[in-house]
Amino acid sequence: MSHLADHVLPRLPVRQWVLSVPKRLRDHLEHDPAIETLALRIFLSVVEPAWCRACPAAGSDSRIGALAFIHRFGALLNP
């Protein structure tokens, strides 16, 4: 994580967004990368316009950048 903070991400404000999926759907996302990708795309397609509308300095062609970390384990490192 420090590599991202020190060398990858620009020195700009950063926001963290969390997508929590109901337990019944987690197994589907874990075993089918296409569904997982689709869920992330849908999530970002909602976040991006909302964030751009909320930022007065954003132009009409503004875009967000995103990194996704898939957390698939509990406190005991169980899947």
Side-chain angles (χ1 to χ4, degrees):
M1 189 60 129
S2 64
H3 172 73
L4 285 175
D6 295 341
H7 303 290
V8 177
L9 298 174
R11 301 234 180 254
L12 295 170
V14 175
R15 294 282 187 251
Q16 176 178 326
W17 294 82
V18 176
L19 172 63
S20 181
V21 179
K23 289 182 181 181
R24 294 182 307 252
L25 299 178
R26 293 177 189 172
D27 192 50
H28 298 291
L29 294 174
E30 182 177 348
H31 296 313
D32 191 341
I35 295 175
E36 183 177 73
T37 300
L38 180 61
L40 286 169
R41 287 183 186 268
I42 291 169
F43 178 67
L44 291 173
S45 74
V46 172
V47 168
E48 183 175 41
W51 185 247
C52 289
R53 279 193 308 271
C55 182
S60 61
D61 60 342
S62 294
R63 301 292 312 264
I64 64 169
L67 292 171
F69 292 95
I70 310 302
H71 179 117
R72 289 196 174 118
F73 52 86
L76 300 175
L77 298 180
N78 56 322

